[in-house]
C-alpha cells in the first residue's frame, strides 16, 4: 500500500470512529486492530499489538502522572486549597476586578501544587464563580480567568501532561518542567493585566466589593503567611529535589505527593476519608490519561511501519521549510487539532511527525516542547472541543449558557496566542531557566 | 461532554443482587488502583530518602513501580468505563437528533465491544503462548513472563462485558 493510502486509512478511521462518539482510547484500539492486521501481518500483528500495549505503560518515566495529580487532589479534598484561596482573597484589596484577580492568583498558586488542569478549573470554578456571579461580575470576567488559569497548570510544574509530552517526545522531562515556569508566570501576569485594565476602563464589569478591608496589615497577611507560604514548601520539595539532584524528575513527583500529605497532616486537615477520596480521584484522572496512552502508543508504531510517517516526512522535507516556518506550521496544526480533539490524542498523532522534523532541522526540543504545551493549552479553551469549557459548563449555574462560556474564554485565548508568539520570538523565555539549571 | 461525569451514584441501592455485586466488583477495581498509586508514592519516596541518607536503596523499587503503574491502569480502565469517565469527542454526536444519537450510541458500544473482545482473545492467546514457552522476566525481580499479560487480559475481558452491558441496558442513553 502507498504511504498516502496507509495514512488516509489510519487517520480516516481514527477521525471517523471519534466522530461516532467512541471513547478516544477505544478509537485508538480499534484503529490499531485494523492497522496491526493490515500492516503487521494478520494475527501475528495482533499479538504484537497486545505486547506493545502492555509495554507502553510499564515505564518508570510515566509515574509522575498519577503522583502529580495526587498532590493536587490531597490539597483539594482536605480543604487546604480553599483555605489558601481565602487567604489570597484577604490579601487583595481595592484592586479593580478584585475577585477575578484572586482567581488568577489562586489558580496560579494551585497550578504550582497540582498537576491537573481539570482539577484546577473545577476547584476554582466551584469556589470563585458563584461568589463572583452573586456580586454581579460580568460572566466574561467571572469565568474567563478561571478557565484560562486552569490551563496554566499544564505549564507550571508539576504538570502531568508535560511529563507525558517529555516521555513520548524524548525531551528531557526535568528541562521541560522547568522550562514551563517562566511562560506560565508571563501568562498569569498578562491575565492579571487584562482583568485590571478591563475593569478600570469599565467598572460595571466587576462591581466594587463591599467586603470590609482590614486596616491592620497583620490581620490581612496572617492567613497568607499561615495558609499559603508553607504550601510553597511542597513546590520547593518537587523542584528543589530535582535541581539539587537528590531525586530524578520522576522521583520528585513522589516526594511532592508525600509532602502534600504531610503538609495537610501538619495543618490537622488530613483524615482517612479525605485521603481515600484523593486516591480514588487520582485513579480516575490519571488512568483516563494512561489508558489513552496504552491505546495510542502502538498507533505511532503502526504509522511508522506502514511507511506513512516516512512518506509524509519526505513530502514535508521536500518543501525545504526554514526551522521557523516548520515551527509555525506545527503550531498551526496543533491549534486546529486543539479545536476538535483532546491533548493526549494531539500528542500521539503529531509527535511521530514533529520530532523527526524538529531533530533534522536542529530545533531546540525544550523550546518546541514548551511551545507545544502552550498550543495544547489553547486547545483546552477553543470550541467546540475545549476540555476546560466543558468543565466550566459542568460547574457553572444553569442560567449560564455555553455561548457565554465561549465568549468568556475568547479574550484569554487571544492573550495565550500572544504569549505563544512571544515565546516564538524570545526562545529564552522557555529555554533560559533549563539552561541555567544545566 | 468530554469527561462524562459519573452516571451512577455510589449510594444508589441496587435491587438486583447481580447488579449490586457487579457494582461492588467495579468499585473494588477502582479501590485497588487507588491503593496501588498510594503504595507507589510511598515506595518511591522511601527509596529516595534511603538513598540520600546513605542507607542504601530499594533495588526493586523502579521495577515494582513500573508494574504497579501498568496493573493499576489495566485494573481501573473497566471501572472508569462503568463510571462513564473515558474521554470521548462528542462534537458530532451532540448535533444529531435524539433517535440518531441513540442509534449511534448503540453502534459505538457494539463497536467497542468487538474491539475489546478481540483484544481479550488475543491477550489470552499471548498469555498462553508465553506460558508455554516458559520464559522468565529476569531483572531484579524474577518471575514467569506470562504474569505480565494477565492484567491486560483481565481488563479487556471486563471492558467487553461492560460494553455488552451498556449496549444491552442502554447505559449510553444517560450520557447522550
Amino acid at each position: 500500500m502507498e504511504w498516502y493510502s496507509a495514512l488516509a486509512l489510519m487517520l480516516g478511521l481514527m477521525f471517523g470512529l471519534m466522530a461516532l462518539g467512541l471513547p478516544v482510547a477505544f478509537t485508538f484500539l480499534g484503529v490499531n486492530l485494523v492497522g496491526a492486521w493490515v500492516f503487521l501481518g494478520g494475527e501475528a500483528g495482533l499479538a504484537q499489538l497486545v505486547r506493545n500495549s502492555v509495554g507502553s505503560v510499564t515505564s518508570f518515566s510515566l509515574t509522575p502522572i498519577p503522583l502529580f495529580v495526587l498532590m493536587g487532589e490531597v490539597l483539594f479534598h482536605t480543604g487546604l486549597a480553599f483555605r489558601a484561596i481565602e487567604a489570597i482573597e484577604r490579601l487583595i484589596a481595592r484592586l479593580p476586578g478584585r475577585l477575578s484577580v484572586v482567581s488568577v492568583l489562586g489558580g496560579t498558586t494551585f497550578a504550582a501544587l497540582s498537576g491537573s488542569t481539570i482539577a484546577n478549573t473545577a476547584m476554582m470554578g466551584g469556589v470563585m464563580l458563584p461568589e463572583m456571579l452573586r456580586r454581579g461580575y460580568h460572566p466574561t470576567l467571572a469565568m474567563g480567568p478561571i478557565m484560562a488559569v486552569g490551563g496554566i497548570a499544564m505549564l507550571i510544574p508539576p504538570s502531568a501532561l508535560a511529563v507525558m509530552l517529555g516521555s513520548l517526545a524524548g525531551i528531557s522531562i526535568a528541562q521541560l518542567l522547568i522550562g514551563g515556569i517562566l511562560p506560565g508566570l508571563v501568562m498569569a501576569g498578562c491575565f492579571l493585566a487584562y482583568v485590571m485594565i478591563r475593569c478600570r476602563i469599565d467598572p460595571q464589569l466587576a462591581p466594587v466589593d463591599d467586603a470590609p478591608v482590614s486596616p491592620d496589615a497583620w490581620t490581612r497577611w496572617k492567613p497568607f503567611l499561615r495558609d499559603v507560604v508553607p504550601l510553597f514548601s511542597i513546590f520547593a520539595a518537587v523542584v528543589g529535589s530535582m535541581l539539587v539532584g537528590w531525586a530524578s524528575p520522576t522521583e520528585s513527583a513522589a516526594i511532592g505527593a508525600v509532602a502534600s500529605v504531610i503538609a495537610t497532616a501538619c495543618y490537622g486537615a488530613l483524615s482517612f476519608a479525605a485521603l481515600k477520596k484523593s486516591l480514588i480521584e487520582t485513579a480516575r484522572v490519571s488512568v483516563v490519561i494512561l489508558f489513552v496512552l496504552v491505546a495510542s502508543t502502538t498507533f505511532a508504531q503502526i504509522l511508522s511501519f506502514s511507511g506513512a510517517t516516512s512518506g509524509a516526512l519526505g513530502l514535508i522535507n521536500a518543501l525545504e521549510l526554514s526551522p521557523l516556518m516548520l515551527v509555525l506550521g506545527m503550531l498551526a496544526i496543533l491549534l486546529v487539532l486543539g479545536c476538535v480533539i483532546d491533548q493526549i490524542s494531539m500528542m500521539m498523532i503529531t509527535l511521530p511527525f514533529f520530532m523527526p522534523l524538529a531533530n533534522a532541522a536542529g530545533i531546540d526540543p525544550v523550546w518546541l516542547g514548551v511551545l507545544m504545551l502552550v498550543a495544547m493549552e489553547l486547545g483546552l479553551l477553543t470550541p467546540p472541543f475545549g476540555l476546560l469549557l466543558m468543565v466550566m459548563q459542568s460547574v457553572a449555574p444553569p442560567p449560564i449558557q455555553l455561548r457565554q462560556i465561549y465568549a468568556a474564554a475568547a479574550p484569554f485565548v487571544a492573550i495565550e496566542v500572544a504569549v505563544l508568539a512571544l515565546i516564538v520570538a524570545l526562545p529564552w523565555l522557555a529555554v533560559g531557566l533549563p539552561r541555567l539549571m544545566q | 461532554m468530554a469527561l462524562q461525569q459519573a452516571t451512577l451514584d455510589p449510594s444508589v441501592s441496587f435491587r438486583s443482587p447481580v447488579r449490586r455485586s457487579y457494582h461492588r466488583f467495579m468499585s473494588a477495581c477502582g479501590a485497588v488502583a487507588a491503593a496501588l498509586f498510594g503504595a507507589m508514592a510511598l515506595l518511591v519516596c522511601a527509596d529516595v530518602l534511603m538513598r540520600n541518607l546513605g542507607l542504601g536503596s530499594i533495588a526493586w523499587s523502579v521495577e515494582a513501580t513500573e508494574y504497579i503503574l501498568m496493573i493499576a491502569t489495566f485494573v481501573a480502565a473497566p471501572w472508569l468505563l462503568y463510571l462513564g469517565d473515558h474521554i470521548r469527542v462528542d462534537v458530532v454526536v451532540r448535533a444529531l437528533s435524539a433517535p440518531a444519537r441513540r442509534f449511534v450510541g448503540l453502534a459505538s458500544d457494539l463497536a467497542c465491544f468487538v474491539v475489546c473482545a478481540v483484544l481479550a482473545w488475543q491477550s489470552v492467546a499471548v498469555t498462553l503462548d508465553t506460558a508455554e514457552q516458559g520464559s522468565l522476566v529476569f531483572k531484579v525481580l524474577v518471575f514467569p513472563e506470562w504474569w505480565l499479560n494477565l492484567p491486560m487480559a483481565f481488563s479487556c475481558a471486563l471492558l467487553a462485558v461492560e460494553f455488552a452491558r451498556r449496549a444491552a441496558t442502554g447505559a449510553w442513553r444517560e450520557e447522550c
Side-chain angles (χ1 to χ4, degrees), chain A residues 162-180:
Chain A
V163 171
M164 188 154 165
L165 177 65
S167 164
L168 292 173
I171 304 171
S172 155
I173 294 175
Q175 293 197 18
L176 194 53
L177 286 172
I178 303 290

Side-chain angles (χ1 to χ4, degrees), chain B residues 104-124:
Chain B
V104 170
L106 179 62
S108 150
D109 277 341
L110 288 176
C112 290
F113 166 75
V114 172
V115 168
C116 294
V118 172
L119 282 172
W121 158 60
Q122 269 305 316
S123 303
V124 172

Side-chain angles (χ1 to χ4, degrees), chain B residues 85-106:
Chain B
D85 267 359
H86 283 291
I87 302 171
R88 60 175 88 213
V89 182
D90 61 354
V91 177
V92 177
V93 176
R94 255 186 297 163
L96 298 174
S97 66
R101 217 159 44 213
R102 279 197 288 276
F103 175 76
V104 170
L106 179 62

Side-chain angles (χ1 to χ4, degrees), chain B residues 14-96:
Chain B
F14 298 108
R15 282 193 206 123
S16 147
V18 177
R19 282 189 68 185
R20 199 182 310 129
S21 307
Y22 187 71
H23 174 76
R24 283 190 185 148
F25 182 65
M26 284 294 185
S27 305
C29 287
V32 167
L36 284 172
F37 286 138
M40 188 166 92
L42 289 176
L43 179 62
V44 177
C45 225
D47 186 33
V48 173
L49 272 182
M50 286 176 65
R51 195 177 61 225
N52 285 295
L53 292 175
L55 301 170
S57 66
I58 307 169
W60 46 269
S61 90
V62 170
E63 205 183 336
T65 306
E66 291 180 340
Y67 300 140
I68 287 176
L69 193 68
M70 185 265 285
I71 295 168
T73 304
F74 282 118
V75 169
W79 167 65
L80 286 184
L81 178 64
Y82 180 68
L83 295 177
D85 267 359
H86 283 291
I87 302 171
R88 60 175 88 213
V89 182
D90 61 354
V91 177
V92 177
V93 176
R94 255 186 297 163
L96 298 174

Side-chain angles (χ1 to χ4, degrees), chain A residues 18-26 29-30 33 43 46-47 49-51 53-54 57-60 62-63 66-67 70 118 246-247 251 254-255 257-258 279-280 282-284 286-288 290-291 294 340-342 344 384-385 387 390 394 402, chain B residues 1-3 6 31 33-34 37-38 40-41 44-45 47-48 51-52 62 65-67 69-70 72-74 76-77 79-80 83 85-89 91-94 104 108 112 115-116 118-119 121-123 126 129-130 148-149 152 159 163:
Chain A
M18 267 189 192
L20 269 181
L22 263 75
V24 168
F26 299 94
L29 285 175
L33 274 185
E43 208 177 319
L46 298 186
L49 169 62
V50 169
R51 290 198 173 91
S53 302
V54 172
V57 272
T58 316
S59 163
F60 192 62
L62 295 174
T63 51
L67 297 173
L70 180 60
I118 293 171
W246 287 349
E251 292 169 336
I255 292 174
V258 173
L279 284 167
I280 292 275
T282 300
R284 282 180 78 162
S286 33
V287 173
V288 164
L290 290 167
F291 198 66
V294 167
V340 286
I341 58 172
D342 63 285
I344 312 164
F385 188 77
L387 220 48
M390 293 172 190
S394 68
L402 194 57
Chain B
M1 182 72 198
L3 272 182
F37 286 138
M40 188 166 92
V44 177
C45 225
D47 186 33
V48 173
R51 195 177 61 225
N52 285 295
V62 170
T65 306
E66 291 180 340
Y67 300 140
L69 193 68
M70 185 265 285
T73 304
F74 282 118
W79 167 65
L80 286 184
L83 295 177
D85 267 359
H86 283 291
I87 302 171
R88 60 175 88 213
V89 182
V91 177
V92 177
V93 176
R94 255 186 297 163
V104 170
S108 150
C112 290
V115 168
C116 294
V118 172
L119 282 172
W121 158 60
Q122 269 305 316
S123 303
V126 170
D129 190 37
T130 318
L148 285 179
N149 295 107
M152 180 160 177
L159 283 165
F163 273 119

